Amino acid sequence: MNSPNIQNTSEQKFWYLRNHKLFSTLSNAEIDDLCIITKHKGAKKGEAIYFGEDLQNRIFLLKKGIIKIVEHNDKGDEVIKDIMQKGDLFGAIGSDDSINKESAVTISSEAIVCSFRISDFENILSKNPDIALQYFKFLGLKLKKIENKYTNLVFKDVRSRLIAFLNDWTAAEGSKVGFDWVVENYLTHQDIAGLICSTRQTVTQLMRDLETEGHIKYDRKEILIHSSLLAKTERPIKS
Amino acid sequence: MNSPNIQNTSEQKFWYLRNHKLFSTLSNAEIDDLCIITKHKGAKKGEAIYFGEDLQNRIFLLKKGIIKIVEHNDKGDEVIKDIMQKGDLFGAIGSDDSINKESAVTISSEAIVCSFRISDFENILSKNPDIALQYFKFLGLKLKKIENKYTNLVFKDVRSRLIAFLNDWTAAEGSKVGFDWVVENYLTHQDIAGLICSTRQTVTQLMRDLETEGHIKYDRKEILIHSSLLAKTERPIKS
DNA sequence: TTGTCAATGTCGCATTCCCGACATATTGTA
DNA sequence: TACAATATGTCGGGAATGCGACATTGACAA
């Protein structure tokens, strides 16, 4: 989907929201009240879109690009909470207080983002029960996703988590080629490590293992996933 | 708070919901439509309230007692997702599909639970924007809680997680005694291990360490937490 | 082409903590 | 009181994986 020729910010924001499932039914006036900023980032790869405090009172809608929501600890280690794609909401989802240490970093070469104040968003929700219900579903999904990540982390070892991640990725974005699947690879081993809570070295090692076992094949641009990996979560029996 | 003399299930359910923050504004008719079951459990300690499938389409409200939301893997290992107390909502929060492997197990000697269908609940929400907003806040809090658990698990070692857990517990339920805090202890080391994702032995060991270090003092009934533990998350410097 | 930087590949040691095994202590119950 | 069942305490070996160090490869720009 390419955006039409858009002359100014105002028209852009209408176009952005109208094409989003959650906001498609809103009137011009409502959109005008809600979306007070349309933020464009000709952001370089690796550039942060927002930091701690900004995030407190805003919800963001990613219109274009890929970003990662990350959190760092004191030592500088990074966990990737989530990867956001076109159409995803992020930011202070569902809460409006307390400290948040997350930041959003662009992975793609460009990212375009709209944002709204939480209070404005809540206002829209309370006046549009249908949108509210959809938003409930969205929150439920988010909740389930993170709960799933949590149990994965507890129950599974790194290898299983990597395989589960590859399977999810394939399911979400892969295209079938013969008996295999291809996924465009915009993530480094470092990123993947952050996503499955491991280290770069371990990810590299396991990717190599999976390749020599014949389950995947990869370079820096794409990953080819053999169907033998699908639904495979156990480690091979040791000899 | 003791419940008044209640003669029948119908009166009970009115009383239960009226005394809950989220439902206090509902009319009799609305409550009647919503809460189609009032489930009483003279449940023994350790008895499961519901299993997988039951949970799919219901939201539960805990009126009395303490329960744990747990999930098991194939090997029988247990993670405790959450501990629920009087007034808490649990079940298929925010989602109405897919498989859920959780179950709810009583920790206290008795538990009383109401439940409603998700569709009925959604109906109430869409007709009562105020309740919907409160429910958004609730979901947001839940989301933040689990995200916090997740980052804790990634960034902190077992000792730090245990200390963080004790601090949380103190903050939530502790009462001050001199310079210390007392928490009624209804959890076994096994339970605590499940909550902070560790093992019984490790928890026992660390609890003993903390006691010899003078930070806590405990028996099976209560835990005395010295103020020296508050805000302490780092391990002592090794000699 | 060459130089630079980021990403990937490989190795081995160190550490954390799981896990089995078994002892002791406490609680509930006949 | 005695017995069973559950909870707590203690120890040591071993597996998973973190982590530093360094080599190699690939991408991009001058």
Side-chain angles (χ1 to χ4, degrees):
Chain A
M1 187 188 351
N2 290 318
S3 64
N5 281 341
I6 288 177
Q7 300 305 323
N8 60 53
T9 311
S10 185
E11 279 184 33
Q12 277 177 2
K13 83 182 181 190
F14 290 129
W15 188 82
Y16 286 156
L17 295 202
R18 274 289 147 61
N19 280 281
H20 192 278
K21 191 183 161 198
L22 202 57
F23 306 100
S24 56
T25 59
L26 292 181
S27 70
N28 279 3
E30 282 173 320
I31 288 182
D32 219 37
D33 283 347
L34 177 63
C35 182
I36 62 167
I37 288 182
T38 303
K39 209 177 186 180
H40 280 242
K41 271 283 182 183
K44 265 178 143 177
K45 194 173 170 170
E47 187 171 343
I49 290 186
Y50 68 94
F51 290 104
E53 267 186 272
D54 274 358
L55 166 141
Q56 267 11 283
N57 304 307
R58 294 205 168 277
I59 289 176
F60 299 87
L61 170 59
L62 184 59
K63 279 310 298 181
K64 187 179 175 186
I66 299 166
I67 64 176
K68 56 181 177 182
I69 310 292
V70 302
E71 184 166 340
H72 298 269
N73 66 1
D74 315 325
K75 286 188 292 179
D77 305 326
E78 173 180 296
V79 214
I80 300 185
K81 297 285 201 69
D82 219 337
I83 299 283
M84 294 295 167
Q85 312 244 7
K86 191 180 73 177
D88 287 336
L89 288 172
F90 62 99
I93 303 287
S95 68
D96 55 358
D97 60 338
S98 93
I99 299 147
N100 204 319
K101 294 171 189 164
E102 296 170 353
S103 51
V105 179
T106 47
I107 286 181
S108 57
S109 55
E110 193 193 17
I112 299 177
V113 171
C114 313
S115 79
F116 5 97
R117 263 198 276 270
I118 288 189
S119 53
D120 291 338
F121 186 65
E122 283 179 350
N123 203 22
I124 293 289
L125 289 180
S126 59
K127 284 177 188 157
N128 298 275
D130 290 350
I131 295 182
L133 282 189
Q134 271 194 278
Y135 188 60
F136 279 128
K137 296 239 184 300
F138 166 77
L139 284 183
L141 221 64
K142 214 175 156 64
L143 208 52
K144 191 177 290 170
K145 212 166 141 190
I146 169 91
E147 291 220 328
N148 201 35
K149 272 184 80 127
Y150 185 75
T151 32
N152 264 359
L153 188 51
V154 177
F155 285 144
K156 295 182 179 172
D157 58 17
V158 180
R159 183 187 159 95
S160 304
R161 294 206 299 276
L162 177 60
I163 294 176
F165 165 74
L166 290 173
N167 279 332
D168 288 351
W169 203 7
T170 308
E173 300 175 46
S175 53
K176 197 160 186 177
V177 176
F179 291 107
D180 304 331
W181 294 81
V182 183
V183 181
E184 185 206 353
N185 180 24
Y186 47 81
L187 297 172
T188 66
H189 289 182
Q190 184 81 62
D191 286 334
I192 297 175
L195 273 165
I196 64 174
C197 296
S198 181
T199 56
R200 188 194 63 75
Q201 294 95 320
T202 305
V203 168
T204 300
Q205 182 58 52
L206 290 172
M207 293 282 282
R208 303 258 65 240
D209 288 354
L210 288 177
E211 185 155 47
T212 52
E213 287 166 27
H215 294 306
I216 64 173
K217 208 167 179 179
Y218 68 97
D219 56 36
R220 293 179 194 205
K221 289 192 181 151
E222 61 181 25
I223 303 182
L224 198 74
I225 292 153
H226 290 224
S227 48
S228 61
L229 192 75
L230 301 175
K232 178 176 182 59
T233 53
E234 298 309 318
R235 64 180 45 223
I237 290 99
K238 285 176 188 171
S239 54
Chain B
M1 185 188 354
N2 290 317
S3 63
N5 282 342
I6 288 175
Q7 300 303 324
N8 59 53
T9 310
S10 185
E11 281 184 32
Q12 276 176 3
K13 84 182 179 189
F14 290 129
W15 189 82
Y16 286 158
L17 294 203
R18 276 288 148 60
N19 280 280
H20 191 278
K21 189 182 163 200
L22 202 56
F23 304 102
S24 56
T25 58
L26 292 181
S27 70
N28 278 5
E30 282 173 319
I31 288 182
D32 219 37
D33 283 348
L34 176 62
C35 182
I36 62 168
I37 287 181
T38 303
K39 210 176 185 180
H40 280 242
K41 271 284 183 182
K44 265 177 142 176
K45 195 173 169 168
E47 188 170 343
I49 290 186
Y50 67 93
F51 290 105
E53 267 186 272
D54 273 358
L55 167 140
Q56 268 9 283
N57 305 306
R58 294 203 169 278
I59 290 176
F60 300 87
L61 171 59
L62 184 58
K63 279 310 297 184
K64 187 181 175 185
I66 299 166
I67 64 175
K68 54 182 177 183
I69 310 294
V70 300
E71 184 165 340
H72 299 267
N73 68 358
D74 316 325
K75 287 187 293 176
D77 305 325
E78 174 181 297
V79 213
I80 300 185
K81 296 287 202 68
D82 219 337
I83 300 283
M84 295 293 167
Q85 312 245 9
K86 190 179 74 176
D88 286 338
L89 286 173
F90 61 100
I93 303 289
S95 68
D96 54 359
D97 60 338
S98 93
I99 299 148
N100 204 319
K101 292 171 190 163
E102 296 171 353
S103 49
V105 179
T106 47
I107 285 181
S108 56
S109 53
E110 194 193 17
I112 299 177
V113 170
C114 313
S115 80
F116 9 95
R117 263 197 276 270
I118 287 189
S119 53
D120 292 337
F121 185 65
E122 283 179 348
N123 203 23
I124 292 289
L125 289 179
S126 59
K127 284 176 189 158
N128 298 273
D130 290 349
I131 296 182
L133 280 188
Q134 270 194 277
Y135 189 60
F136 278 129
K137 294 240 184 302
F138 166 78
L139 284 183
L141 222 64
K142 216 176 153 63
L143 208 53
K144 190 177 291 171
K145 213 165 139 189
I146 168 92
E147 291 219 328
N148 200 36
K149 272 183 79 124
Y150 184 75
T151 29
N152 264 358
L153 189 51
V154 178
F155 285 143
K156 296 183 179 172
D157 60 15
V158 181
R159 183 186 159 96
S160 304
R161 295 206 300 276
L162 177 61
I163 293 176
F165 164 74
L166 289 173
N167 279 333
D168 288 350
W169 203 5
T170 307
E173 301 176 46
S175 52
K176 197 158 187 178
V177 175
F179 291 108
D180 304 332
W181 294 81
V182 184
V183 181
E184 185 204 353
N185 180 23
Y186 47 81
L187 296 172
T188 65
H189 289 181
Q190 183 81 62
D191 286 333
I192 296 175
L195 274 165
I196 64 174
C197 296
S198 180
T199 54
R200 188 193 63 73
Q201 295 95 318
T202 305
V203 169
T204 299
Q205 183 59 52
L206 291 172
M207 294 281 283
R208 303 257 65 242
D209 288 354
L210 289 177
E211 185 154 46
T212 51
E213 287 166 25
H215 294 305
I216 63 173
K217 209 166 179 181
Y218 69 98
D219 56 37
R220 293 178 194 206
K221 289 191 181 151
E222 61 180 28
I223 303 182
L224 197 75
I225 291 152
H226 290 225
S227 48
S228 62
L229 192 76
L230 300 176
K232 178 177 182 58
T233 53
E234 298 308 317
R235 67 178 44 225
I237 289 97
K238 285 177 189 169
S239 55

